[in-house]
Amino acid sequence: MTTVKTLLDLPGLRLRPRAGADLLDRPVTRIYVTELPDPGRYLSAGELVLSGLLWWRGPGDAEPFVAALARSGAAALAASGADSDGIPDDVVDACERHRIPLLEVPIDLSFSVVTEQVVLALAAASDSSRKRLLAAADAPVGTLLESASAELGLPCWVLSTLGRVVAGTAPLPMPVEDVVQRYAARQDTAGPLTLTPVEGRHAVPWLIAVGGPLSTAQTELTEELAGLVGVTRARAKPSEADLTGDVRVVALRTEGSDESRDVLRELLPDATLVEPGGETTYAVTARWPSDAFTALSTVEPLLAARRIVCGVGDAAPRDEAREVAAYALAVASRRPGRVVVVPGEEIGVHQLLLAGAPDGLRAALRRRVLGPLLDYDAEQHTDLVHTVRVFLECSGSPTRAAKALHVHVNTLRYRIGRAGELLGADLTEFTDQLDVYLALRAGDQAG
């Protein structure tokens, strides 16, 4: 990394610090020559600004010029006083006030020599940075980031587009979800971050985020980092944790694509994948993340899948958890939405019991219990089946059911009495209520 102090140490330049002696460790990314009174719109962070002070006409002229350098994040000002009888005091004062290092260029030194020497120093530093980064190629992602951050002079992060910080050298200045949304919108920046995709064929991309705008040399080094992180990611072995006792089984389907394995591996990096398929993959894990829905919603726009559906089994022995996860996945697949997650805890016990029955048995149960009522509705063009269902879902309360159906309570009682006659059941008795309700749900058990 080239710093302001690096340039002071170049014997051919003979630069002398006039202000900001405590700021000489700032990284320099490139050189920019200007004589504009306010060059702000053309400046980038990390630049060494070289000026002959031709814009200076008298006291007060330095303030807007140096303020523009400070706003842009310039590394330093290198100035020659050849045409201004030395560097004016207000230039020195403005640099001190705005904390911009000021280097005095000897009046006998051509700007072309300064530019050439600085460019050569930057090129040599870039080559050295690349070699040092490559030397860490076999290191973990965190070590690669530390090395790259030192060379760039900027904080770095590796982000998963599932909303996870894989590694970083500082706290991320904005939510990961916001960064991913910018990337999904095909933007290469997010707030103060510059984004570069990590190389590799993965359904869930990773991003390199660097805390600031980049020079050409920094961009090249970041792209080198993206390649190395991609290799490291590809080499990583999937978890094969031997979990015992109660576990959670997760079933995830990426409808219309074979991305389920990559998505589940990224969502649950410590889980063991089992039954990996194309659209659907199962995983065994000790913990289900509470923010899984948010994470899946974040990455969904980047996937080829039409939508993501996920079922999560209860914490239970593996075989039991797997059955619940499979049923929860079936429930999720019937619900609307681009991302649907159904934990097993949301599913009623009666639904799980019915889920184990073959389709033919469920149809037979429905016909045996409800047959007379179904036939009556078909012949009389009534809907007593719906009335019975609402009544049972209101815990057998005539008042609540009448209100839900917008009828008088006496009308409700008459209908329930008529339905009971047709069914040969007493719909005020719990056991009869249970039989009828299970038969009702047998027709929509995966809803």
Side-chain angles (χ1 to χ4, degrees):
M1 180 175 64
T2 301
T3 65
V4 177
K5 187 176 186 304
T6 304
L7 305 182
L8 289 176
D9 293 338
L10 295 177
L13 295 187
R14 296 176 283 125
L15 302 177
R16 183 167 69 95
R18 293 289 306 277
D22 59 330
L23 305 171
L24 301 182
D25 59 347
R26 287 185 175 178
V28 177
T29 58
R30 64 177 182 173
I31 187 168
Y32 173 69
V33 182
T34 184
E35 299 299 339
L36 293 174
D38 184 353
R41 71 179 66 181
Y42 304 107
L43 298 178
S44 299
E47 286 180 324
L48 173 71
V49 178
L50 183 60
S51 177
L53 304 183
L54 299 181
W55 46 266
W56 189 85
R57 292 290 183 267
D61 289 349
E63 177 61 26
F65 183 90
V66 177
L69 269 59
R71 285 193 302 271
S72 71
L77 169 62
S80 171
D83 295 311
S84 56
D85 195 21
I87 296 180
D89 290 341
D90 75 328
V91 174
V92 178
D93 292 342
C95 287
E96 289 282 10
R97 188 165 56 256
H98 289 284
R99 296 185 60 75
I100 294 293
L102 173 61
L103 312 181
E104 184 170 4
V105 179
I107 60 175
D108 61 341
L109 190 63
S110 165
F111 274 16
S112 62
V113 173
V114 176
T115 302
E116 180 183 12
Q117 291 292 315
V118 172
V119 169
L120 289 174
L122 291 172
S126 177
D127 188 55
S128 298
S129 295
R130 182 175 180 274
K131 289 178 180 178
R132 285 191 291 270
L133 186 60
L134 288 174
D138 294 328
V141 172
T143 304
L144 279 171
L145 275 191
E146 292 286 352
S147 178
S149 179
E151 301 299 337
L152 293 168
L154 295 168
C156 302
W157 298 266
V158 174
L159 308 177
S160 164
T161 50
L162 259 169
R164 177 170 66 95
V165 178
V166 179
T169 62
L172 194 67
M174 60 191 300
V176 183
E177 293 80 6
D178 291 353
V179 178
V180 177
Q181 287 175 4
R182 299 283 188 89
Y183 176 73
R186 301 183 182 277
Q187 298 181 26
D188 57 7
T189 59
L193 306 176
T194 299
L195 307 178
T196 303
V198 169
E199 296 179 10
R201 297 180 179 180
H202 295 89
V204 179
W206 280 7
L207 305 175
I208 302 293
V210 181
L214 305 180
S215 66
T216 300
Q218 287 175 315
T219 298
E220 292 174 353
L221 189 64
T222 302
E223 291 171 350
E224 191 77 52
L225 172 64
L228 294 176
V229 171
V231 171
T232 300
R233 184 186 186 189
R235 283 200 305 251
K237 294 182 179 180
S239 172
E240 295 295 340
D242 186 18
L243 298 175
T244 58
D246 288 354
V247 297
R248 284 187 179 272
V249 174
V250 179
L252 186 138
R253 178 178 298 150
T254 49
E255 295 184 356
S257 77
D258 60 356
E259 299 164 307
S260 63
R261 184 184 181 92
D262 274 358
V263 172
L264 204 47
R265 177 176 290 164
E266 188 66 19
L267 179 66
L268 302 170
D270 297 325
T272 298
L273 301 191
V274 294
E275 304 179 56
E279 285 194 358
T280 305
T281 298
Y282 286 77
V284 180
T285 182
R287 185 185 67 86
W288 174 246
S290 59
D291 60 347
F293 177 80
T294 300
L296 293 172
S297 299
T298 297
V299 78
E300 183 271 331
L302 299 172
L303 301 180
R306 293 189 299 272
R307 64 182 196 138
I308 306 171
V309 293
C310 181
V312 187
D314 301 333
R318 181 178 298 197
D319 290 345
E320 297 175 20
R322 194 262 181 221
E323 292 300 320
V324 176
Y327 182 69
L329 180 67
V331 173
S333 68
R334 302 252 182 133
R335 293 183 180 177
R338 298 279 295 179
V339 176
V340 184
V341 177
V342 175
E345 294 90 337
E346 289 185 8
I347 303 170
V349 173
H350 65 279
Q351 292 175 286
L352 294 175
L353 291 174
L354 288 170
D359 290 346
L361 180 58
R362 289 197 303 272
L365 171 64
R366 180 176 174 83
R367 168 53 58 182
R368 187 177 78 178
V369 176
L370 301 178
L373 194 59
L374 294 169
D375 292 342
Y376 180 85
D377 276 347
E379 293 171 0
Q380 301 298 322
H381 305 289
T382 56
D383 199 0
L384 284 181
V385 169
H386 178 63
T387 299
V388 170
R389 181 165 186 158
V390 172
F391 173 70
L392 295 178
E393 288 178 346
C394 289
S395 303
S397 168
T399 303
R400 287 172 54 194
K403 184 176 181 180
L405 291 167
H406 305 290
V407 298
H408 194 276
V409 68
N410 290 336
T411 302
L412 187 281
R413 287 194 175 97
Y414 170 77
R415 291 179 182 178
I416 293 300
R418 180 62 178 141
E421 292 173 3
L422 292 167
L423 295 173
D426 184 351
L427 293 179
T428 64
E429 290 292 328
F430 173 73
T431 53
D432 285 357
Q433 288 178 342
L434 180 60
D435 285 346
V436 172
Y437 188 69
L438 286 174
L440 287 165
R441 295 308 302 260
D444 59 358
Q445 57 84 32

